[in-house]
Amino acid sequence: MTLFLHGYYYSVYTRIARLALAEKGVTYEKVEVNPFATDCPPDYLELHPFRRVPTLVHGDFTLYETGAITRYIDRAFAGPPLQPASPRALARMDQIIGVVDAYTYWPLVRQVFVHDVFRPHTGGEIDPVERDKGLEEAARVLRALDALASGDACLCGPDVSLADFHLGAMVAYFVLSPRGAALLAEYRRLAAWWGRFGARPSLAATDPGLPVTQP
Ligand SMILES: N[C@@H](CCC(=O)N[C@@H](CS)C(=O)NCC(=O)O)C(=O)O
């Protein structure tokens, strides 16, 4: 059955889905959609009425919302389980994913990464106030996540889980900012986790890099 992932090259949420597919060893086809572009194809709204990425299309089954997509990937395909078996570890995984979606994406990615890395690199408009607000909020988020992290090899225990992909895709962008990297280093468990997770082959395989700019 055909499997398509509609996503944007630089999107962290698309990368989360790609991490799950890579760790599961599932092959798929990518369909590039830039939800930020004014010329985002109008028929994409038939797949995703909120015009976000990613969307997964598996045969006649269409699914959006990254948390639903990664859980579907884990349940529908063979490969290593990506969710812990114990009710408490699973609840912690769901909690961390919730915290990442609700409180982490905006400060780490849209405020710090965008204003301290992406726009300086691409010549876009930078707002240092926005960046600093992001750093302030990031401290609160990282403190909370540090308290939730298992202290084991991965966020929810010894094995990698969907929570690692959710947070990992965002931290990968955040630490490209020297200010972000310095802040992360203050949180012992998270910094140690990132030292391990940041070296996973799936992360390298899904690394979008930064856009090539004209000299
Ligand atoms: N709740 C969505 C969020 C996805 C999301 O925000 N994706 C970003 C790209 S990383 C996007 O499509 N942004 C477009 C926009 O904000 O207009 C999910 O879990 O999939």
Side-chain angles (χ1 to χ4, degrees):
M1 206 185 308
T2 54
L3 184 66
F4 293 98
L5 185 71
H6 297 250
Y8 172 48
Y9 191 75
Y10 296 106
S11 151
V12 288
Y13 276 98
T14 302
R15 191 177 187 184
I16 294 166
R18 292 184 63 208
L19 282 166
L21 289 159
E23 293 271 354
K24 210 74 182 167
V26 178
T27 53
Y28 60 100
E29 287 187 42
K30 289 180 231 156
V31 183
E32 186 67 13
V33 182
N34 181 353
F36 300 100
T38 45
D39 60 352
C40 176
D43 58 0
Y44 183 65
L45 286 175
E46 284 164 29
L47 295 180
H48 196 318
F50 303 103
R51 204 172 108 160
R52 299 285 197 275
V53 288
T55 299
L56 188 80
V57 181
H58 189 201
D60 61 359
F61 182 61
T62 298
L63 190 64
Y64 61 83
E65 287 305 299
T66 306
I69 291 172
T70 55
R71 288 174 178 91
Y72 176 73
I73 291 165
D74 190 33
R75 291 169 188 146
F77 297 96
L82 301 177
Q83 300 178 79
S86 105
R88 289 189 181 186
L90 189 57
R92 193 64 86 206
M93 184 199 85
D94 287 336
Q95 182 187 20
I96 291 174
I97 290 173
V99 168
V100 168
D101 284 341
Y103 313 119
T104 308
Y105 171 64
W106 199 264
L108 268 69
V109 177
R110 297 294 288 270
Q111 292 180 302
V112 176
F113 169 71
V114 166
H115 289 281
D116 211 22
V117 180
F118 195 84
R119 290 195 188 166
H121 180 79
T122 55
E125 197 178 316
I126 303 161
D127 184 347
V129 174
E130 201 60 19
R131 178 201 67 205
D132 291 346
K133 274 196 226 161
L135 284 164
E136 197 180 323
E137 186 56 22
R140 185 154 77 124
V141 166
L142 294 177
R143 190 179 322 117
L145 288 167
D146 198 63
L148 296 177
S150 69
D152 209 326
C154 298
L155 284 179
C156 302
D159 300 315
V160 78
S161 79
L162 305 179
D164 297 282
F165 309 151
H166 267 254
L167 185 58
M170 299 191 190
V171 167
Y173 268 170
F174 183 66
V175 298
L176 293 180
S177 153
R179 294 172 177 86
L183 189 61
L184 182 76
E186 292 179 21
Y187 299 92
R188 193 179 51 82
R189 283 187 176 187
L190 284 185
W193 160 78
W194 179 246
R196 292 182 294 271
F197 187 75
R200 277 186 97 81
S202 61
L203 204 68
T206 57
D207 185 359
L210 287 172
V212 176
T213 51
Q214 299 303 320

